Amino acid sequence: MSTDDDLYTKDETLDINSQPANKKKTGNWKACRFILGNECCERLAYYGMSTNLVNYLQLQLGFGNVTASNSVTNWSGTCYITPLIGGFIADAYLGRFKTIAIFVIIYVMGMTLLTLSASVPELKPHCTGDTCSPTGGQTATCFIALYMIALGTGGIKPCVSSLGADQFDETDEVEREKKTSFFNWFYLSINVGALIASSVLVWIQMNVGWAWGFGIPAVTMVIAVLFFFGGSRLYRIQKPGGSPLVRIAQVIVASFRKSSAKVPSDKALLYETTDEECNIQGSRKLEHTEELRFFDKAAVVTEDDQVKGLTNPWRLCTTTQVEELKSIIRLLPVWASGIIFATVYSQMSTMFVLQGNTMDAHMGPNFEIPSASLSLFDTLSVIFWAPVYDMVIVPFVRKITKNERGFTQLQRMGIGLVISIFAMVTAGCLEVVRLNYVRNHNYYDQKHIPISIFWQVPQYFLIGCAEVFTFIGQLEFFYDQAPDAMRSLCSALSLTTVALGNYLSTLLVTIVTHLTTRNGNLGWIPDNLNRGHLDYFFWLLMILSVINFFAYLWIAKIYTYKKTSGHAK
């Protein structure tokens, strides 16, 4: 006969009616199928609109190579910065489910406006042959739509992976093992959507029209919404824990107020609630760690800490609250090491596309593959490696390391960083070969060089393999190592590496262009790449990646994993 302990989850999750989550009726893979379906459709919509965006800005809005590339990386970067807004709102006030429900409406509105800007005669640019002449209002409408999408995705990205992981009770050993598999299948679902986007939708955009090319992603986004709400009664929902920024500020203020206080050698004397439950909503207690001991002063008990019998949270904080701040600080170096990787990743939507535009895109005598569609090989690589990692590599490595995950999360991310270096080497070598061919045959003004675009496949395939190790490892690592009541915010933090990677790419392109175009020179990345040196840019990224990897090795070596105790309130 089942007891209440067997019937309900022990991580204090609720169902959609705010009642304790029934283990048999909620969560697990039966709920995750709706989350994975939603993510697949949402990513199809996002990549269907963004994969070929650099070509849309060039062909329809008349942007040059550098302007189009920077516009895409700036916008893409914003898409990965706005999750900080969504993550904060979810953790502090609304919870993940409600946050997604609100921001998805903004997302659909942005997709609809973008479709209208490419289809309604008054909103789309007037084109004569291959030359388009957009008005300022038409360009503005396009960018308003794009940045509405960026805001909408900010409420979805940090919450949907965490909502999926919430469907597995961490206190249940069987369910906890499934959580690791969830992140692999979650990333796989992203890339199934991206596969359709980078193949079918890019072809439609280049051969049928941009109205259909943007309209189909808009409809797909509506389907994603239906998937999401369709699983509502099955979801396990974590309660929001109040503002994490306030709790962090309290620890910092209390530490400085007690800067002269002595931390006791017996850490049991530091302040903590006596109950097994943590006093932070939806969070378990965190055990004390030895690093960053200055902040332990916030948990040192003194006579001035209570006012009329009540504890002043700006003078005295619990050990768990202190460890929350320490956890975030420990995550920051790992987070920073992902920025260069994200810069390499961002080249798929910019420099790889521009490189592909100069190559022979024919598949047979009558069909040409759009250069942006080559990203489908990145997607195919992820679709291949994600299940191989989950079903082959992990069981094999587990036998050697005795770790339930096979590789540790930090080892997994490090392997991806190494693979990304080889991706840049491959791209650089291809560009050297292409430029040599240009010089040997005097093809400087030739629009397409007779070298097959499919020589780009290895660099896309290597980046896809690197993603499976680094990006999926990063998703799992930031969810696992985040304090329980800050998981959406920390998921958002992990996504900002992609944003900063895009911004860094923009900065590098801008600096390189400025330095290499002095004295009338064309520079490394001119509009005619046959007269440039794109290979030098790839070598620059390779060198930065090598330096970043060695810095990462040191960061991983000194990292301390968090330890929890008790159960959530």
Side-chain angles (χ1 to χ4, degrees):
M1 187 173 176
S2 294
T3 65
D4 279 356
D5 282 349
D6 298 325
L7 191 59
Y8 298 107
T9 59
K10 296 178 183 177
D11 59 0
E12 305 302 315
T13 48
L14 307 175
D15 62 20
I16 193 65
N17 299 313
S18 299
Q19 299 300 312
N22 186 303
K23 258 191 170 183
K24 294 182 179 178
K25 295 181 180 179
T26 63
N28 241 294
W29 289 111
K30 61 180 172 288
C32 285
R33 65 174 182 256
F34 290 95
I35 294 170
L36 295 177
N38 163 78
E39 184 65 9
C40 180
C41 291
E42 187 271 326
R43 291 291 87 186
L44 192 158
Y46 176 83
Y47 288 116
M49 171 269 305
S50 65
T51 300
N52 205 25
L53 187 58
V54 68
N55 280 331
Y56 180 76
L57 297 181
Q58 284 186 311
L59 299 174
Q60 297 295 301
L61 298 186
F63 289 11
N65 276 353
V66 171
T67 307
S69 172
N70 285 350
S71 295
V72 171
T73 50
N74 286 339
W75 170 79
S76 182
T78 304
C79 288
Y80 288 89
I81 283 288
T82 52
L84 288 173
I85 300 170
F88 174 76
I89 292 172
D91 281 341
Y93 304 112
L94 298 181
R96 295 186 249 284
F97 178 82
K98 289 181 181 177
T99 301
I100 296 172
I102 291 170
F103 278 80
V104 78
I105 305 302
I106 301 171
Y107 199 134
V108 171
M109 289 169 63
M111 292 294 295
T112 302
L113 181 59
L114 184 64
T115 303
L116 294 175
S117 74
S119 56
V120 175
E122 290 77 12
L123 295 177
K124 70 177 183 178
H126 175 71
C127 300
T128 305
D130 291 334
T131 305
C132 295
S133 305
T135 64
Q138 290 167 342
T139 302
T141 301
C142 173
F143 276 89
I144 288 170
L146 288 174
Y147 280 89
M148 285 180 68
I149 292 167
L151 178 60
T153 197
I156 298 173
K157 280 180 184 290
C159 298
V160 70
S161 62
S162 296
L163 179 66
D166 288 344
Q167 305 313 304
F168 303 97
D169 188 347
E170 280 199 0
T171 64
D172 185 307
E173 190 174 331
V174 175
E175 290 196 15
R176 189 171 63 245
E177 249 185 58
K178 294 177 183 176
K179 185 176 292 190
T180 298
S181 290
F182 167 76
F183 285 105
N184 290 318
W185 292 102
F186 178 80
Y187 205 78
L188 178 65
S189 70
I190 291 174
N191 282 273
V192 170
L195 174 65
I196 300 169
S198 59
S199 53
V200 178
L201 290 180
V202 170
W203 185 88
I204 289 172
Q205 289 164 355
M206 300 301 285
N207 294 277
V208 179
W210 294 98
W212 280 98
F214 287 152
I216 293 172
V219 172
T220 307
M221 190 60 215
V222 174
I223 296 172
V225 174
L226 297 177
F227 259 114
F228 176 71
F229 287 109
S232 298
R233 63 186 179 82
L234 298 174
Y235 297 148
R236 295 175 185 174
I237 299 170
Q238 285 280 4
K239 294 173 281 191
S243 174
L245 300 184
V246 170
R247 294 197 301 275
I248 288 172
Q250 287 171 341
V251 174
I252 295 171
V253 169
S255 299
F256 278 98
R257 277 183 166 183
K258 297 179 180 177
S259 57
S260 59
K262 185 178 179 181
V263 178
S265 55
D266 183 1
K267 300 308 179 288
L269 297 176
L270 294 174
Y271 178 66
E272 184 57 276
T273 55
T274 54
D275 299 334
E276 188 180 349
E277 289 184 347
C278 177
N279 66 341
I280 301 169
Q281 187 88 282
S283 178
R284 292 166 296 172
K285 288 182 178 179
L286 293 172
E287 294 181 9
H288 179 268
T289 57
E290 293 297 327
E291 294 86 1
L292 303 165
R293 295 189 63 186
F294 173 78
F295 295 110
D296 289 342
K297 295 176 184 289
V300 174
V301 181
T302 66
E303 294 179 359
D304 300 326
D305 291 332
Q306 293 191 337
V307 179
K308 296 181 180 179
L310 298 175
T311 301
N312 180 353
W314 293 93
R315 286 197 61 88
L316 182 63
C317 305
T318 63
T319 299
T320 294
Q321 204 173 332
V322 171
E323 290 301 321
E324 275 192 329
L325 175 58
K326 288 185 183 181
S327 295
I328 298 300
I329 294 173
R330 281 195 294 265
L331 286 173
L332 290 179
V334 180
W335 165 82
S337 67
I339 295 172
I340 295 294
F341 178 84
T343 303
V344 169
Y345 174 78
S346 73
Q347 303 314 305
M348 285 197 302
S349 61
T350 53
M351 296 308 167
F352 285 12
V353 174
L354 297 177
Q355 183 187 46
N357 285 344
T358 68
M359 303 177 76
D360 180 8
H362 282 93
M363 291 178 64
N366 301 315
F367 181 79
E368 290 187 31
I369 183 170
S371 58
S373 285
L374 264 289
S375 63
L376 70 88
F377 289 100
D378 161 76
T379 305
L380 287 171
S381 178
V382 172
I383 290 173
F384 171 77
W385 283 109
V388 166
Y389 183 88
D390 192 51
M391 295 187 288
V392 179
I393 295 176
V394 169
F396 175 76
V397 175
R398 188 184 287 147
K399 292 176 183 177
I400 300 170
T401 64
K402 308 303 180 185
N403 186 307
E404 65 178 15
R405 291 186 170 96
F407 295 112
T408 67
Q409 295 153 340
L410 289 170
Q411 288 170 340
R412 179 176 185 172
M413 288 187 281
I415 293 169
L417 295 182
V418 173
I419 296 170
S420 72
I421 294 170
F422 287 102
M424 284 297 95
V425 171
T426 305
C429 288
L430 175 61
E431 186 63 10
V432 168
V433 170
R434 196 188 70 80
L435 289 175
N436 283 338
Y437 196 93
V438 168
R439 281 191 291 270
N440 293 338
H441 294 83
N442 196 27
Y443 281 165
Y444 290 104
D445 296 315
Q446 190 107 341
K447 187 175 181 181
H448 297 108
I449 307 305
I451 296 177
S452 173
I453 196 172
F454 290 100
W455 283 107
Q456 284 192 306
V457 169
Q459 64 206 51
Y460 281 102
F461 194 81
L462 283 170
I463 286 186
C465 182
E467 283 180 66
V468 169
F469 283 90
T470 297
F471 275 158
I472 301 179
Q474 198 176 61
L475 267 177
E476 184 180 359
F477 178 78
F478 275 80
Y479 179 89
D480 188 61
Q481 292 302 303
D484 293 348
M486 299 174 68
R487 279 177 163 162
S488 295
L489 193 60
C490 287
S491 293
L493 182 66
S494 74
L495 292 170
T496 59
T497 60
V498 181
L500 294 177
N502 277 281
Y503 292 146
L504 179 58
S505 178
T506 299
L507 180 63
L508 289 174
V509 169
T510 302
I511 292 172
V512 162
T513 301
H514 175 72
L515 294 178
T516 60
T517 55
R518 290 177 174 177
N519 304 318
N521 292 319
L522 289 173
W524 290 3
I525 315 171
D527 286 342
N528 181 356
L529 290 180
N530 295 336
R531 296 183 178 274
H533 263 295
L534 185 58
D535 54 329
Y536 291 174
F537 186 71
F538 291 140
W539 300 139
L540 173 63
L541 290 178
M542 180 204 71
I543 292 168
L544 292 174
S545 296
V546 170
I547 295 170
N548 181 63
F549 172 68
F550 283 107
Y552 176 81
L553 288 180
W554 178 77
I555 291 166
K557 185 178 180 181
I558 65 171
Y559 185 82
T560 302
Y561 286 88
K562 78 169 188 182
K563 296 177 182 178
T564 60
S565 63
H567 58 81
K569 183 178 179 180

